[in-house]
Coordinates of all heavy atoms in Angstrom, one line a residue:
Q1490 N -6.1 14.0 -9.6 CA -4.9 14.6 -9.2 C -4.9 14.7 -7.6 O -3.8 14.4 -7.0 CB -4.8 16.1 -9.6 CG -3.4 16.8 -9.3 CD -2.3 16.0 -9.8 OE1 -2.1 15.7 -11.0 NE2 -1.3 15.7 -8.9
W1491 N -6.1 14.8 -7.1 CA -6.2 14.7 -5.6 C -5.7 13.3 -5.1 O -5.0 13.2 -4.1 CB -7.7 14.8 -5.2 CG -8.0 14.5 -3.8 CD1 -7.9 15.2 -2.6 CD2 -8.5 13.2 -3.3 NE1 -8.1 14.5 -1.6 CE2 -8.6 13.3 -2.0 CE3 -8.8 12.0 -4.0 CZ2 -9.0 12.1 -1.2 CZ3 -9.3 10.9 -3.3 CH2 -9.4 11.0 -1.9
Y1492 N -6.2 12.3 -5.8 CA -5.7 10.8 -5.4 C -4.3 10.8 -5.5 O -3.7 10.2 -4.6 CB -6.5 9.9 -6.5 CG -6.1 8.5 -6.2 CD1 -6.7 7.7 -5.2 CD2 -5.1 7.9 -7.0 CE1 -6.3 6.5 -5.0 CE2 -4.8 6.6 -6.8 CZ -5.3 5.8 -5.8 OH -5.0 4.5 -5.6
T1493 N -3.7 11.2 -6.7 CA -2.2 11.1 -6.7 C -1.5 11.8 -5.7 O -0.5 11.3 -5.1 CB -1.8 11.5 -8.2 OG1 -2.4 10.7 -9.1 CG2 -0.3 11.4 -8.3
D1494 N -2.0 13.0 -5.3 CA -1.4 13.8 -4.3 C -1.5 13.1 -2.9 O -0.5 13.1 -2.2 CB -2.2 15.2 -4.2 CG -1.9 16.1 -5.3 OD1 -1.0 16.0 -6.1 OD2 -2.6 17.2 -5.5
V1495 N -2.6 12.5 -2.7 CA -2.7 11.8 -1.3 C -1.8 10.7 -1.3 O -1.0 10.4 -0.3 CB -4.2 11.3 -1.1 CG1 -4.3 10.4 0.0 CG2 -5.1 12.5 -1.0
C1496 N -1.6 9.8 -2.4 CA -0.7 8.7 -2.4 C 0.7 9.2 -2.2 O 1.4 8.5 -1.3 CB -0.7 8.0 -3.8 SG -2.3 7.1 -4.1
K1497 N 1.1 10.3 -2.7 CA 2.5 10.8 -2.6 C 2.7 11.5 -1.2 O 3.7 11.3 -0.5 CB 2.7 11.8 -3.7 CG 2.9 11.1 -5.0 CD 4.4 10.6 -5.3 CE 5.3 11.6 -5.5 NZ 6.8 11.2 -5.6
K1498 N 1.8 12.4 -0.8 CA 2.0 13.2 0.3 C 1.6 12.5 1.6 O 2.2 13.0 2.7 CB 1.3 14.5 0.1 CG 1.9 15.3 -1.0 CD 1.2 16.6 -1.4 CE 1.8 17.2 -2.6 NZ 1.1 18.3 -3.2
A1499 N 0.9 11.5 1.6 CA 0.6 10.8 2.8 C 1.8 9.6 3.0 O 1.7 8.8 3.8 CB -0.7 10.0 2.7
E1500 N 2.7 9.7 2.0 CA 3.8 8.9 2.1 C 3.5 7.4 1.9 O 4.0 6.6 2.7 CB 4.7 9.1 3.4 CG 5.2 10.6 3.3 CD 6.0 10.9 4.6 OE1 5.9 10.2 5.6 OE2 6.7 11.9 4.6
L1501 N 2.7 7.0 1.0 CA 2.2 5.7 0.9 C 3.0 5.0 -0.3 O 3.2 3.8 -0.2 CB 0.7 5.7 0.5 CG -0.4 6.3 1.4 CD1 -1.7 6.3 0.8 CD2 -0.2 5.4 2.7
I1502 N 3.4 5.7 -1.3 CA 3.9 5.2 -2.5 C 5.0 6.1 -3.2 O 4.8 7.3 -2.9 CB 2.8 4.7 -3.4 CG1 3.2 3.4 -4.2 CG2 2.3 5.8 -4.3 CD1 2.0 2.7 -4.8
D1503 N 5.8 5.6 -4.0 CA 6.7 6.3 -4.8 C 6.8 5.7 -6.1 O 6.6 4.5 -6.3 CB 8.1 6.6 -4.1 CG 8.8 7.8 -4.7 OD1 8.2 8.6 -5.4 OD2 10.0 8.0 -4.3
Y1504 N 7.3 6.5 -7.1 CA 7.4 6.0 -8.4 C 8.9 5.4 -8.5 O 9.8 5.9 -8.0 CB 7.3 7.1 -9.4 CG 5.9 7.6 -9.6 CD1 5.4 8.5 -8.6 CD2 4.9 7.0 -10.5 CE1 4.0 8.9 -8.7 CE2 3.7 7.5 -10.5 CZ 3.2 8.4 -9.7 OH 1.9 8.9 -9.7
S1505 N 9.0 4.4 -9.3 CA 10.3 3.8 -9.7 C 10.8 4.2 -10.9 O 10.1 4.9 -11.7 CB 10.3 2.2 -9.5 OG 9.7 1.7 -10.7
S1506 N 11.9 3.7 -11.4 CA 12.4 4.2 -12.7 C 11.8 3.3 -13.8 O 12.0 3.7 -15.1 CB 14.0 4.0 -12.8 OG 14.3 2.6 -12.5
I1507 N 11.1 2.3 -13.5 CA 10.3 1.6 -14.5 C 8.8 1.9 -14.5 O 8.1 1.8 -13.5 CB 10.4 0.0 -14.2 CG1 11.9 -0.4 -14.2 CG2 9.7 -0.8 -15.3 CD1 12.2 -1.9 -13.8
K1508 N 8.3 2.3 -15.7 CA 6.9 2.7 -15.7 C 5.9 1.6 -15.2 O 6.1 0.4 -15.7 CB 6.6 3.1 -17.2 CG 5.2 3.6 -17.3 CD 4.8 3.9 -18.9 CE 3.4 4.2 -19.0 NZ 3.0 4.3 -20.3
G1509 N 5.0 2.0 -14.4 CA 4.0 1.0 -14.0 C 4.4 0.2 -12.8 O 3.7 -0.6 -12.3
M1510 N 5.7 0.4 -12.3 CA 6.2 -0.3 -11.2 C 6.5 0.6 -10.0 O 7.2 1.5 -10.2 CB 7.4 -1.2 -11.4 CG 7.2 -2.3 -12.4 SD 8.5 -3.5 -12.6 CE 7.8 -4.7 -13.6
F1511 N 5.8 0.4 -8.9 CA 5.9 1.4 -7.7 C 6.5 0.9 -6.6 O 6.7 -0.3 -6.3 CB 4.5 1.7 -7.4 CG 3.6 2.5 -8.5 CD1 2.9 1.8 -9.4 CD2 3.6 3.8 -8.5 CE1 2.2 2.4 -10.5 CE2 2.9 4.5 -9.6 CZ 2.2 3.8 -10.5
I1512 N 7.0 1.8 -5.8 CA 7.7 1.5 -4.5 C 6.7 1.7 -3.4 O 6.1 2.7 -3.3 CB 8.9 2.4 -4.2 CG1 10.0 2.2 -5.3 CG2 9.5 2.2 -2.8 CD1 11.0 3.4 -5.5
Y1513 N 6.4 0.7 -2.6 CA 5.5 0.7 -1.4 C 6.3 1.3 -0.3 O 7.2 0.6 0.2 CB 4.9 -0.7 -1.0 CG 4.0 -1.3 -2.0 CD1 4.6 -2.1 -3.2 CD2 2.6 -1.1 -2.1 CE1 3.8 -2.6 -4.1 CE2 1.8 -1.7 -3.0 CZ 2.4 -2.4 -4.0 OH 1.6 -3.0 -5.0
R1514 N 6.1 2.5 0.1 CA 6.7 3.1 1.3 C 6.3 2.4 2.5 O 5.2 1.8 2.6 CB 6.5 4.5 1.2 CG 7.1 5.2 0.0 CD 7.3 6.8 0.1 NE 8.1 7.2 1.1 CZ 8.3 8.4 1.4 NH1 7.7 9.4 0.9 NH2 9.2 8.7 2.4
P1515 N 7.0 2.6 3.6 CA 6.7 1.9 4.9 C 5.2 2.0 5.4 O 4.6 1.1 5.7 CB 7.6 2.4 5.9 CG 8.8 2.8 5.2 CD 8.4 3.3 3.8
Y1516 N 4.7 3.3 5.3 CA 3.3 3.5 5.8 C 2.3 2.8 4.8 O 1.3 2.3 5.3 CB 3.1 5.0 5.7 CG 1.9 5.4 6.6 CD1 1.8 5.2 7.9 CD2 0.9 6.2 6.1 CE1 0.8 5.7 8.7 CE2 -0.2 6.5 6.8 CZ -0.2 6.2 8.1 OH -1.3 6.7 9.0
G1517 N 2.5 2.9 3.5 CA 1.7 2.2 2.5 C 1.7 0.6 2.7 O 0.7 0.0 2.8
Y1518 N 3.0 0.2 2.9 CA 3.1 -1.3 3.0 C 2.5 -1.8 4.4 O 2.1 -2.8 4.5 CB 4.6 -1.6 2.9 CG 4.8 -3.2 2.8 CD1 4.6 -3.7 1.5 CD2 5.2 -3.9 3.9 CE1 4.7 -5.1 1.4 CE2 5.3 -5.3 3.7 CZ 5.2 -5.9 2.5 OH 5.3 -7.2 2.3
A1519 N 2.6 -0.9 5.5 CA 2.0 -1.3 6.7 C 0.6 -1.5 6.6 O -0.1 -2.4 7.3 CB 2.4 -0.2 7.8
I1520 N -0.2 -0.7 5.8 CA -1.6 -0.9 5.5 C -1.7 -2.2 4.9 O -2.7 -2.9 5.3 CB -2.2 0.3 4.7 CG1 -2.0 1.7 5.4 CG2 -3.6 0.0 4.2 CD1 -2.3 2.8 4.6
W1521 N -1.0 -2.5 3.9 CA -1.1 -3.8 3.3 C -0.9 -5.0 4.3 O -1.6 -6.0 4.3 CB -0.1 -4.0 2.1 CG -0.1 -5.3 1.4 CD1 0.9 -6.2 1.3 CD2 -1.3 -5.9 0.7 NE1 0.5 -7.3 0.5 CE2 -0.9 -7.2 0.2 CE3 -2.7 -5.5 0.6 CZ2 -1.6 -8.1 -0.5 CZ3 -3.4 -6.4 -0.2 CH2 -3.0 -7.6 -0.7
E1522 N 0.1 -4.8 5.1 CA 0.4 -5.8 6.2 C -0.8 -6.1 7.1 O -1.1 -7.3 7.4 CB 1.6 -5.5 7.0 CG 2.9 -5.6 6.3 CD 4.2 -5.2 7.2 OE1 4.0 -4.1 7.8 OE2 5.1 -6.1 7.3
N1523 N -1.5 -5.1 7.4 CA -2.7 -5.2 8.3 C -3.9 -5.8 7.5 O -4.6 -6.8 8.1 CB -3.2 -3.9 8.8 CG -2.3 -3.2 9.8 OD1 -1.5 -4.1 10.5 ND2 -2.3 -2.0 10.2
I1524 N -3.9 -5.6 6.3 CA -5.0 -6.3 5.4 C -4.6 -7.7 5.3 O -5.4 -8.7 5.5 CB -5.0 -5.7 4.0 CG1 -5.6 -4.2 4.0 CG2 -5.8 -6.6 2.9 CD1 -5.6 -3.5 2.7
Q1525 N -3.4 -8.0 5.0 CA -2.8 -9.4 4.8 C -3.0 -10.2 6.1 O -3.5 -11.3 6.1 CB -1.4 -9.3 4.5 CG -0.7 -10.7 4.2 CD 0.7 -10.5 3.8 OE1 1.4 -9.7 4.4 NE2 1.2 -11.4 2.9
Q1526 N -2.8 -9.6 7.3 CA -2.8 -10.3 8.5 C -4.2 -10.7 8.9 O -4.4 -11.8 9.3 CB -2.3 -9.4 9.6 CG -2.2 -10.1 11.0 CD -1.6 -9.2 12.1 OE1 -1.8 -7.9 12.1 NE2 -0.8 -9.7 13.0
E1527 N -5.2 -9.8 8.7 CA -6.5 -10.1 9.0 C -7.1 -11.1 8.0 O -7.9 -12.0 8.5 CB -7.4 -8.8 9.0 CG -8.9 -8.9 9.2 CD -9.1 -9.5 10.5 OE1 -8.4 -9.6 11.4 OE2 -10.3 -10.0 10.6
L1528 N -6.9 -11.0 6.7 CA -7.4 -11.9 5.8 C -6.8 -13.3 6.0 O -7.5 -14.2 5.9 CB -7.1 -11.4 4.4 CG -8.1 -10.3 3.8 CD1 -7.8 -9.9 2.5 CD2 -9.5 -11.0 3.7
D1529 N -5.5 -13.4 6.3 CA -4.8 -14.6 6.4 C -5.4 -15.3 7.7 O -5.6 -16.5 7.5 CB -3.2 -14.4 6.6 CG -2.5 -15.6 6.5 OD1 -2.4 -16.1 5.4 OD2 -1.9 -16.0 7.5
R1530 N -5.7 -14.6 8.7 CA -6.3 -15.1 9.8 C -7.7 -15.8 9.4 O -8.1 -16.9 9.9 CB -6.6 -14.1 10.9 CG -7.3 -14.6 12.1 CD -7.6 -13.5 13.2 NE -8.6 -12.6 12.7 CZ -9.9 -12.9 12.6 NH1 -10.3 -14.1 13.1 NH2 -10.9 -12.1 12.2
R1531 N -8.5 -15.1 8.7 CA -9.8 -15.5 8.3 C -9.6 -16.7 7.3 O -10.5 -17.7 7.4 CB -10.6 -14.4 7.5 CG -11.0 -13.3 8.5 CD -11.7 -12.2 7.7 NE -11.9 -11.0 8.5 CZ -13.1 -10.4 8.6 NH1 -14.1 -10.8 7.9 NH2 -13.3 -9.4 9.3
F1532 N -8.6 -16.7 6.4 CA -8.5 -17.9 5.5 C -8.2 -19.2 6.4 O -8.6 -20.3 6.1 CB -7.4 -17.7 4.5 CG -7.6 -16.5 3.6 CD1 -6.5 -15.9 2.9 CD2 -8.9 -16.0 3.4 CE1 -6.8 -14.9 2.0 CE2 -9.1 -15.0 2.5 CZ -8.0 -14.4 1.8
K1533 N -7.3 -19.0 7.4 CA -6.9 -20.1 8.1 C -8.0 -20.7 9.0 O -8.1 -21.9 9.2 CB -5.6 -19.9 8.9 CG -4.2 -19.7 8.0 CD -3.2 -19.2 8.9 CE -2.0 -19.1 7.8 NZ -0.9 -18.4 8.3
E1534 N -8.8 -19.8 9.4 CA -10.0 -20.3 10.2 C -10.9 -21.1 9.4 O -11.6 -22.0 9.9 CB -10.8 -19.1 10.7 CG -10.2 -18.4 12.0 CD -11.1 -17.3 12.4 OE1 -12.2 -16.9 11.7 OE2 -10.8 -16.7 13.4

């Protein structure tokens, strides 16, 4: 429950109307963008 609370209250993610499909909120998606950017740089290197 702590984990779910953090996901919701830190505004990382929200539930959609389809079970198992989630909405990445801007703050959560920005974390993914930073992961993506750094890994992409390493792959291209």
Side-chain angles (χ1 to χ4, degrees):
Q1490 188 58 52
W1491 167 85
Y1492 176 81
T1493 303
D1494 287 350
V1495 172
C1496 288
K1497 289 275 288 178
K1498 291 170 185 176
E1500 299 177 339
L1501 302 175
I1502 211 160
D1503 199 12
Y1504 293 84
S1505 77
S1506 57
I1507 303 174
K1508 182 184 175 185
M1510 292 190 172
F1511 294 87
I1512 296 159
Y1513 296 85
R1514 298 191 65 183
Y1516 197 61
Y1518 194 77
I1520 295 171
W1521 178 242
E1522 285 180 312
N1523 288 341
I1524 290 171
Q1525 184 181 37
Q1526 184 179 34
E1527 176 63 16
L1528 280 174
D1529 200 63
R1530 180 187 68 78
R1531 293 176 184 227
F1532 297 162
K1533 285 171 179 168
E1534 277 183 358

